[in-house]
Amino acid sequence: MTARPSLLYVTDLAYPARGRRYCDEDIHLTARLRENFDLALCHPLDAAALMDGFDAVVVRNSGPVLGYQKEYDAFRERALARGTRVYNPLHGRGDMAGKQYLLDLTAAAYPVIPTVDRPEDLHLLPDAAGYAVKPKAGADSIGLVFLPREELAGLGLEHGELLVQPRVDFRYEVSFYYVDDLFQYALYAPDPERRWVLEPYEPTEDDLAFARRFVDWNTLDHGIQRVDACRAPGDELLLVELEDLNPYLSLDRVPEETRDRFVAAFTDSLHRFLEA
């Protein structure tokens, strides 16, 4: 009998996410993946020490890496040096690599909330009632503050550690979920004040074309991505975040048939990844 592929599934089951239960999602996913793989769960702090015993490492709901940046960097370095298969692959250009992509996409005139990180570029931002200031290495809204324009000059932007964006009076936020380059489902938050109270969203062809531009830009052959956008006052979509490290999937907010279809796509993607 041919041995089944083995996966080290990295998750922080105790991470206290606001409005979400990471543990429930990963318990469900690992229960389903065990039908096709030999699988073990571990905390992100244990991944580097354990990964050599598995065919691949799957990084899922492991929480923001800010709390263990040194250990995460060591995990990446070890995995790259040993040629360890990590899913999502470690060459992602989105949140996996920090927030630099927001600057790159702004400069390339992609439909993204305008973003700058230098005091001499503040004049490039449109007038707004307020501005969002966040750490370039931030995640999960950690360190996010809103300031009026007159207070931006004294932020110390010359250090290159902060991002500034206009605060958009958006109608709602919407997320598009992909496995590899295949769209799976979309969810949106009708109430802007309740980001994680999500409902199924039926995207238009224009919506999918918008999201696909960022998936194509990221050039990941394998992996799970979430494209977060907001519906701006002019009815256009603007990118908020391209999450390619460990995107929460909100599978509890989709119908059972959609969940099953996603798990099947995830399973097929992992098989292709291991065979590549």
Side-chain angles (χ1 to χ4, degrees), residues 116-268:
V116 301
D117 69 340
R118 304 188 305 170
E120 59 265 36
D121 291 336
L122 287 173
H123 72 281
L124 299 175
L125 297 179
D127 289 333
Y131 294 84
V133 180
K134 63 184 75 172
K136 189 180 289 188
D140 210 19
S141 297
I142 296 172
L144 172 66
V145 296
F146 295 99
L147 297 174
R149 193 174 192 109
E150 57 267 23
E151 294 185 23
L152 299 180
L155 284 175
L157 293 179
E158 62 273 8
H159 302 299
E161 297 176 354
L162 297 173
L163 299 177
V164 182
Q165 300 173 316
R167 187 169 189 173
V168 178
D169 186 20
F170 58 84
R171 289 164 45 199
Y172 56 80
E173 289 188 77
V174 57
S175 296
F176 305 89
Y177 301 78
Y178 284 77
V179 174
D180 299 345
D181 62 349
L182 300 176
F183 171 72
Q184 300 298 315
Y185 58 92
L187 294 168
Y188 82 122
D191 183 351
E193 300 301 320
R194 304 171 73 193
R195 170 66 181 97
W196 296 105
V197 181
L198 298 170
E199 297 179 9
Y201 177 87
E202 190 63 39
T204 66
E205 290 186 9
D206 286 345
D207 292 340
L208 292 178
F210 164 89
R212 183 58 183 261
R213 287 187 68 183
F214 298 103
V215 171
D216 290 344
W217 176 85
N218 203 13
T219 67
L220 277 181
D221 293 332
H222 306 278
I224 296 171
Q225 299 179 68
R226 193 184 75 216
V227 179
D228 294 339
C230 64
R231 183 71 69 182
D235 203 43
E236 73 275 21
L237 286 177
L238 296 175
L239 181 76
V240 174
E241 185 173 52
L242 178 57
E243 178 56 81
D244 60 358
L245 172 58
N246 50 9
Y248 182 66
L249 304 171
S250 299
L251 288 171
D252 59 328
R253 297 288 179 170
V254 301
E256 183 176 357
E257 63 185 83
T258 302
R259 249 189 332 269
D260 290 344
R261 187 167 60 247
F262 176 87
V263 172
F266 186 16
T267 301
D268 289 345

Side-chain angles (χ1 to χ4, degrees), residues 42-102:
C42 82
H43 188 276
L45 291 178
D46 300 323
L50 298 174
M51 63 185 182
D52 289 348
F54 296 83
D55 293 319
V57 178
V58 178
V59 178
R60 282 302 308 129
N61 289 321
S62 53
V65 300
L66 291 177
Y68 56 97
Q69 189 70 54
K70 180 180 178 181
E71 292 84 357
Y72 176 71
D73 291 343
F75 160 74
R76 283 180 56 95
E77 182 178 347
R78 182 184 177 99
L80 290 169
R82 292 174 175 263
T84 302
R85 293 179 182 270
V86 180
Y87 186 104
N88 288 354
L90 297 174
H91 60 272
R93 302 167 70 189
D95 268 6
M96 186 184 298
K99 300 291 186 182
Q100 177 63 38
Y101 70 93
L102 293 172

